[in-house]
Amino acid sequence: DGKVSSVSVQQLIEQISCMNKAKMIDHVGGMEEGAYEIYNCVEKIIKQDILGCEMTDLEGKDLGNKEDSTAPEEEVFGDVLWDAHDEQEQMEAFQQASNSTCELGFEKYFERLNDLVAAPAPIPPLLVSGGPGSGKSLLLSKWIQLQQKGSPNTLILYHFVGRPMSTSSESALIIKRLTLKLMQHSWLVSPLTFDPAKLLEEFPRWLEKLSARHQGSIIIIIDSIDQIQQAEKHMKWLIDPLPVNVRVIVSVNVETCPQAWRLWPTLHLDPLNSKDVKSLISAECNSANVKLTKEQEKKLERHCRSATTCNALYVTLLGKTIACVGNTGNIDKILQQCCQCQDTVSLYRLVLRSIQESLQSDKEKDLLREILCVIGVSHNGVSESELMELYPELTSAVLASLLHSLHKMCLLTYGCGLLKFQHLQAWEMVKLEYMEAGENVISAYRQKLVEYFTMQLRVLIFICFSFNSQDRVTWRSADELPWLFQQQGDKQKLHKCLLNLFVSQNLYKRGHFAELLSYWQLVGKDKSSMAAEYFDSLKEYEKSSEGEESMICLADLYETLGRFLKDLGLLSQAVAPLQRSLEIRETALDPDHPRVAQSLHQLAGVYVQWKKFGNAEQLYKQALEISENAYGAEHPRVARELDALATLYQKQNKYEQAEQLRKKSFKIRQKAARQKGSLCGFALLRQRALQLEELTLGKDTSDNARTLNELGVLYYLQNNLETAELFLKRSLEMRERVLGSDHPDCAQSLNNLAALYNEKKHYDKAEELYEKALDIRRRALAPDHPSLAYTVKHLAVLYKKMGKLDKAVPLYELAVEIRQKSFGPKHPSVATALVNLAVLYCQMKKQIEALPLYERALKIYEDSFGQMHPRVGETLKNLAVLSYERGDFEKAAELYKRAMEIKEAETLLIGGKATSRHSSSGDTFSLKSALSPNALLEHGQR
């Protein structure tokens, strides 16, 4: 019932409220909802506090659409696409590598690494070499920790390459990640190519450019670089002279080091000496309270003398094996067995067999084999929940027991929530133990995963079509399925999988551009045919898209395709999908919606590459205007538009204008960086601050009311609507007491509460509050004030949603007036407002009133964008519908002909491929069907 259930819970809450690093989720309701809130909270903490992703800078403004309040993941670095999973995987790999508490005599190696950093430039990369399991990753991770403590001005960028063929070993992703980390630290926001060949080619120039901006040294460390696919070919930049303040360290296995790199300065890790061997084994035995006799210690010392038996991994595994026997087993017997293992793979085999012997039934032994094999044949690993779905007979108790043993004995580890092999030798042992039959066995396990992820894909798509969800494909399906088809050599199924728009979108939006391109190359498609096939798939999908959410999702797909084509260098073909995305968002959302700004920004980017600077400037300015209205003048999204305009002016040699915009952008980003932090943590701190203020100042103050409003906004953004409602109500009540019920601040609280009730679908309550807010703002604010425009727009949309069209008309008319006062009578946004009003009249069957509005909008669009712009074509089509309904068939045919000419000109941009029936640049269809009342609403409704 929302009350504290016991004294102990009350004490817990009091303890949490005193801790800076604790977050309490106050939830009343079902367990599923509570779990969802916790997940959202943890996800935000990971993204903001750990990964450092920029989130919205909140200033206590009016609430808008909750969906727009946080920046999409891919906008952390402007237009560059970023995968949080890849970054998380690297952080976990670093933590795992540095996990050992034993230093293993690394001091002498640390000195050599320090000498490299201090040596005068130019200097080639330093090669850290050693056999498998010799401790290279441990050495580098420990040294990174020392450098981070001792040299705070040194920027250290690291990448730990995992198993060959995994995502972490893809060269283009590695280079992109390093470039983005450099950009992040140098406050530079610039367009970055996604073409894998160009990315690798341009990296030396990026390194030179970005290192010049950094005050201090830059150290780049790539562990297990020889595991990268075609390392020598893709890492050519290592051979070039490095910038003066850049040092590079790479580690390799002695056997697989490329010949050309062997000439570099080399730090070779020697086998462990007897003292280190004893220390490692003693540490493992002491942790299990196992005591070795002098004779046993001597036996171990004699055994660990060859190169393959005195490396760090072998000795660690040996110590764990002995410790695992403990005081209950026969240590002499296990020692005898260990001494017969002359390398790490054979010792792993002994470990596996000891785990098998500890299992109680053949069924558990079979499950052990299945788990290890299915993890081994996957692309990036398998999760616990996936294992339990793959093997329904596997109980959570058995799985937990197996994983505990496998993790303790260094066979498996976790990365991004996935189980994977901790060392390459463990996977080699599993292949020898279970897959001696070769490719047929591997293929069978891959097929099992193919069937599982194919089924997951079907279930997801069914659920999403049933419930209008946009999360149609998980990153797991997108990561595994295409890769598995590639490994199986099944080009037909791979091709079909790639044409699943949501699989391709997921890969692209997470920055896996090179991977996506390689799949298309495998199925034998060039860039142009690939673009055409995607467009055809989108047309088919659009035919089944109904409702606002589906259209918004469709707009996202069109934008993804446009960006993908732009990155491929197919500029002329990129325009049409980006234009279609813009049109859908203007129609399904609102012309002033932040996602419209996103579409304008992306379209402008194509025109910049195309060197059509005039078109690009106009679009960037529109995007800037929308972003400022939506977020305020000091938001990171505004900085992004300023940076884009500055880059454009620089390309046109307008250096003074470019410099002014860059300075403005820099100040915004600087402020955002200072204020960046967890929304959850910020909410908690503000709540505590409010309690302190109430104690010292008394409860009723305008500042406290503002703080309550901001807390309400924060909880709203966390989807905690119940708590948000409490804070917003308190803010409104306090403002009415302190400031009076007619104060503009009260209108802000009313507006925010109305938005919250609208979100909860309590439309009657929302209507009442919006009307009160509008009444206050009309009396208190200037006729062209943005806050007044905001309330007018949202109340008008609400009336329309509720079917109260007569009440919506005066508000849409007022929206036209406000835009005319704000931007002038000939601005495109005025034309959009006129179209909105015209569509409303058409819904009310008032075609006579709609006609002059469409005609005026047409004139503005033609003057602003030219005679052949898609918006001109869309308006012509709507005018043709009106003329047809009035019986003026000749004029209707003339207008429709002009609209089709614009459409045909646009289709030339995509190689003769037309968009679907919903689009203003869609398929040619009969005049009768085009000129139906339904067609008008479908094309023109905004």
PDB file of all heavy atoms in Angstrom, residues 53 69 91 182 284 405 457 459 470 587 651 690 717 724 734 819 921 927:
ATOM      1  N   CYS A  53      28.259   8.516 -21.543  1.00  0.00           N
ATOM      2  CA  CYS A  53      27.428   9.003 -22.644  1.00  0.00           C
ATOM      3  C   CYS A  53      26.720  10.285 -22.237  1.00  0.00           C
ATOM      4  O   CYS A  53      26.249  10.412 -21.119  1.00  0.00           O
ATOM      5  CB  CYS A  53      26.369   7.964 -23.027  1.00  0.00           C
ATOM      6  SG  CYS A  53      27.061   6.401 -23.573  1.00  0.00           S
ATOM      7  N   SER A  69      13.076  13.088 -24.777  1.00  0.00           N
ATOM      8  CA  SER A  69      13.789  13.766 -23.717  1.00  0.00           C
ATOM      9  C   SER A  69      15.199  13.271 -23.524  1.00  0.00           C
ATOM     10  O   SER A  69      16.009  13.925 -22.908  1.00  0.00           O
ATOM     11  CB  SER A  69      13.005  13.607 -22.410  1.00  0.00           C
ATOM     12  OG  SER A  69      11.715  14.140 -22.564  1.00  0.00           O
ATOM     13  N   MET A  91      35.792  -2.789 -21.379  1.00  0.00           N
ATOM     14  CA  MET A  91      35.989  -2.498 -19.950  1.00  0.00           C
ATOM     15  C   MET A  91      36.084  -3.791 -19.142  1.00  0.00           C
ATOM     16  O   MET A  91      36.915  -3.928 -18.238  1.00  0.00           O
ATOM     17  CB  MET A  91      34.832  -1.637 -19.440  1.00  0.00           C
ATOM     18  CG  MET A  91      34.815  -0.251 -20.051  1.00  0.00           C
ATOM     19  SD  MET A  91      33.302   0.614 -19.668  1.00  0.00           S
ATOM     20  CE  MET A  91      33.431   0.685 -17.904  1.00  0.00           C
ATOM     21  N   LEU A 182      39.514   9.100 -29.140  1.00  0.00           N
ATOM     22  CA  LEU A 182      40.351  10.293 -29.322  1.00  0.00           C
ATOM     23  C   LEU A 182      39.492  11.537 -29.496  1.00  0.00           C
ATOM     24  O   LEU A 182      39.765  12.588 -28.905  1.00  0.00           O
ATOM     25  CB  LEU A 182      41.249  10.125 -30.558  1.00  0.00           C
ATOM     26  CG  LEU A 182      42.531   9.314 -30.374  1.00  0.00           C
ATOM     27  CD1 LEU A 182      43.129   8.979 -31.725  1.00  0.00           C
ATOM     28  CD2 LEU A 182      43.547  10.090 -29.534  1.00  0.00           C
ATOM     29  N   GLU A 284      47.108 -19.810  -4.667  1.00  0.00           N
ATOM     30  CA  GLU A 284      45.893 -20.579  -4.966  1.00  0.00           C
ATOM     31  C   GLU A 284      45.600 -21.587  -3.844  1.00  0.00           C
ATOM     32  O   GLU A 284      44.453 -21.749  -3.432  1.00  0.00           O
ATOM     33  CB  GLU A 284      46.038 -21.315  -6.302  1.00  0.00           C
ATOM     34  CG  GLU A 284      46.105 -20.417  -7.522  1.00  0.00           C
ATOM     35  CD  GLU A 284      44.821 -19.655  -7.778  1.00  0.00           C
ATOM     36  OE1 GLU A 284      43.770 -20.058  -7.227  1.00  0.00           O
ATOM     37  OE2 GLU A 284      44.857 -18.641  -8.497  1.00  0.00           O
ATOM     38  N   SER A 405      31.789 -24.122 -11.546  1.00  0.00           N
ATOM     39  CA  SER A 405      33.002 -24.930 -11.729  1.00  0.00           C
ATOM     40  C   SER A 405      33.817 -24.450 -12.929  1.00  0.00           C
ATOM     41  O   SER A 405      35.043 -24.323 -12.852  1.00  0.00           O
ATOM     42  CB  SER A 405      32.627 -26.406 -11.919  1.00  0.00           C
ATOM     43  OG  SER A 405      31.934 -26.899 -10.801  1.00  0.00           O
ATOM     44  N   LEU A 457      13.716 -14.485 -33.629  1.00  0.00           N
ATOM     45  CA  LEU A 457      13.404 -13.394 -34.550  1.00  0.00           C
ATOM     46  C   LEU A 457      11.923 -13.405 -34.909  1.00  0.00           C
ATOM     47  O   LEU A 457      11.261 -12.365 -34.903  1.00  0.00           O
ATOM     48  CB  LEU A 457      14.252 -13.545 -35.815  1.00  0.00           C
ATOM     49  CG  LEU A 457      14.549 -12.280 -36.625  1.00  0.00           C
ATOM     50  CD1 LEU A 457      15.206 -11.217 -35.777  1.00  0.00           C
ATOM     51  CD2 LEU A 457      15.441 -12.641 -37.813  1.00  0.00           C
ATOM     52  N   VAL A 459       9.458 -14.738 -33.160  1.00  0.00           N
ATOM     53  CA  VAL A 459       8.675 -14.397 -31.967  1.00  0.00           C
ATOM     54  C   VAL A 459       8.698 -12.895 -31.737  1.00  0.00           C
ATOM     55  O   VAL A 459       7.672 -12.268 -31.479  1.00  0.00           O
ATOM     56  CB  VAL A 459       9.221 -15.150 -30.728  1.00  0.00           C
ATOM     57  CG1 VAL A 459       8.574 -14.633 -29.457  1.00  0.00           C
ATOM     58  CG2 VAL A 459       8.974 -16.639 -30.873  1.00  0.00           C
ATOM     59  N   GLN A 470       8.722  -0.984 -31.153  1.00  0.00           N
ATOM     60  CA  GLN A 470       9.756  -0.733 -32.156  1.00  0.00           C
ATOM     61  C   GLN A 470      10.997  -1.589 -31.934  1.00  0.00           C
ATOM     62  O   GLN A 470      11.868  -1.644 -32.780  1.00  0.00           O
ATOM     63  CB  GLN A 470      10.157   0.747 -32.132  1.00  0.00           C
ATOM     64  CG  GLN A 470       9.061   1.654 -32.655  1.00  0.00           C
ATOM     65  CD  GLN A 470       9.530   3.078 -32.767  1.00  0.00           C
ATOM     66  OE1 GLN A 470      10.655   3.338 -33.193  1.00  0.00           O
ATOM     67  NE2 GLN A 470       8.695   4.010 -32.391  1.00  0.00           N
ATOM     68  N   THR A 587       4.563  14.439 -40.652  1.00  0.00           N
ATOM     69  CA  THR A 587       3.160  14.043 -40.690  1.00  0.00           C
ATOM     70  C   THR A 587       2.747  13.327 -39.411  1.00  0.00           C
ATOM     71  O   THR A 587       1.743  13.666 -38.796  1.00  0.00           O
ATOM     72  CB  THR A 587       2.901  13.116 -41.900  1.00  0.00           C
ATOM     73  OG1 THR A 587       3.289  13.790 -43.090  1.00  0.00           O
ATOM     74  CG2 THR A 587       1.435  12.727 -41.981  1.00  0.00           C
ATOM     75  N   LYS A 651      34.024  25.020 -45.018  1.00  0.00           N
ATOM     76  CA  LYS A 651      34.188  24.488 -46.376  1.00  0.00           C
ATOM     77  C   LYS A 651      33.979  25.583 -47.424  1.00  0.00           C
ATOM     78  O   LYS A 651      34.493  25.481 -48.535  1.00  0.00           O
ATOM     79  CB  LYS A 651      33.191  23.350 -46.620  1.00  0.00           C
ATOM     80  CG  LYS A 651      33.525  22.063 -45.889  1.00  0.00           C
ATOM     81  CD  LYS A 651      32.478  20.992 -46.153  1.00  0.00           C
ATOM     82  CE  LYS A 651      32.775  19.721 -45.379  1.00  0.00           C
ATOM     83  NZ  LYS A 651      33.954  19.002 -45.879  1.00  0.00           N
ATOM     84  N   LEU A 690      16.534  19.571  -1.341  1.00  0.00           N
ATOM     85  CA  LEU A 690      15.220  20.124  -1.044  1.00  0.00           C
ATOM     86  C   LEU A 690      14.895  19.965   0.448  1.00  0.00           C
ATOM     87  O   LEU A 690      14.390  20.897   1.090  1.00  0.00           O
ATOM     88  CB  LEU A 690      14.157  19.421  -1.887  1.00  0.00           C
ATOM     89  CG  LEU A 690      12.720  19.906  -1.677  1.00  0.00           C
ATOM     90  CD1 LEU A 690      12.554  21.333  -2.153  1.00  0.00           C
ATOM     91  CD2 LEU A 690      11.745  19.004  -2.405  1.00  0.00           C
ATOM     92  N   LEU A 717      11.123  11.574 -16.744  1.00  0.00           N
ATOM     93  CA  LEU A 717      12.075  11.052 -17.717  1.00  0.00           C
ATOM     94  C   LEU A 717      12.519   9.634 -17.376  1.00  0.00           C
ATOM     95  O   LEU A 717      12.950   8.888 -18.246  1.00  0.00           O
ATOM     96  CB  LEU A 717      13.305  11.960 -17.816  1.00  0.00           C
ATOM     97  CG  LEU A 717      13.035  13.365 -18.357  1.00  0.00           C
ATOM     98  CD1 LEU A 717      14.313  14.182 -18.322  1.00  0.00           C
ATOM     99  CD2 LEU A 717      12.501  13.300 -19.771  1.00  0.00           C
ATOM    100  N   ALA A 724       6.552  11.262 -10.250  1.00  0.00           N
ATOM    101  CA  ALA A 724       6.574  12.536 -10.972  1.00  0.00           C
ATOM    102  C   ALA A 724       5.315  13.336 -10.688  1.00  0.00           C
ATOM    103  O   ALA A 724       5.359  14.557 -10.463  1.00  0.00           O
ATOM    104  CB  ALA A 724       6.712  12.282 -12.473  1.00  0.00           C
ATOM    105  N   MET A 734       2.448  24.791  -4.397  1.00  0.00           N
ATOM    106  CA  MET A 734       3.338  25.765  -3.758  1.00  0.00           C
ATOM    107  C   MET A 734       3.403  27.052  -4.569  1.00  0.00           C
ATOM    108  O   MET A 734       3.381  28.163  -4.017  1.00  0.00           O
ATOM    109  CB  MET A 734       4.733  25.156  -3.579  1.00  0.00           C
ATOM    110  CG  MET A 734       5.649  25.991  -2.704  1.00  0.00           C
ATOM    111  SD  MET A 734       7.290  25.240  -2.466  1.00  0.00           S
ATOM    112  CE  MET A 734       6.886  23.822  -1.463  1.00  0.00           C
ATOM    113  N   ARG A 819       3.480  31.671 -35.644  1.00  0.00           N
ATOM    114  CA  ARG A 819       4.620  31.419 -36.540  1.00  0.00           C
ATOM    115  C   ARG A 819       4.879  32.606 -37.454  1.00  0.00           C
ATOM    116  O   ARG A 819       6.028  32.916 -37.764  1.00  0.00           O
ATOM    117  CB  ARG A 819       4.371  30.156 -37.354  1.00  0.00           C
ATOM    118  CG  ARG A 819       4.404  28.897 -36.496  1.00  0.00           C
ATOM    119  CD  ARG A 819       4.499  27.650 -37.311  1.00  0.00           C
ATOM    120  NE  ARG A 819       4.407  26.470 -36.438  1.00  0.00           N
ATOM    121  CZ  ARG A 819       4.698  25.250 -36.822  1.00  0.00           C
ATOM    122  NH1 ARG A 819       5.092  25.019 -38.050  1.00  0.00           N
ATOM    123  NH2 ARG A 819       4.590  24.239 -35.989  1.00  0.00           N
ATOM    124  N   SER A 921       6.480  10.799 -52.882  1.00  0.00           N
ATOM    125  CA  SER A 921       7.257  10.459 -54.071  1.00  0.00           C
ATOM    126  C   SER A 921       7.028   8.997 -54.401  1.00  0.00           C
ATOM    127  O   SER A 921       7.916   8.271 -54.752  1.00  0.00           O
ATOM    128  CB  SER A 921       8.742  10.720 -53.822  1.00  0.00           C
ATOM    129  OG  SER A 921       9.163  10.061 -52.669  1.00  0.00           O
ATOM    130  N   LEU A 927      -5.593   8.133 -61.207  1.00  0.00           N
ATOM    131  CA  LEU A 927      -6.069   9.443 -60.744  1.00  0.00           C
ATOM    132  C   LEU A 927      -7.221   9.275 -59.772  1.00  0.00           C
ATOM    133  O   LEU A 927      -7.317   9.972 -58.769  1.00  0.00           O
ATOM    134  CB  LEU A 927      -6.520  10.294 -61.946  1.00  0.00           C
ATOM    135  CG  LEU A 927      -6.919  11.743 -61.628  1.00  0.00           C
ATOM    136  CD1 LEU A 927      -5.742  12.484 -61.040  1.00  0.00           C
ATOM    137  CD2 LEU A 927      -7.425  12.450 -62.868  1.00  0.00           C
TER     138      LEU A 927
END
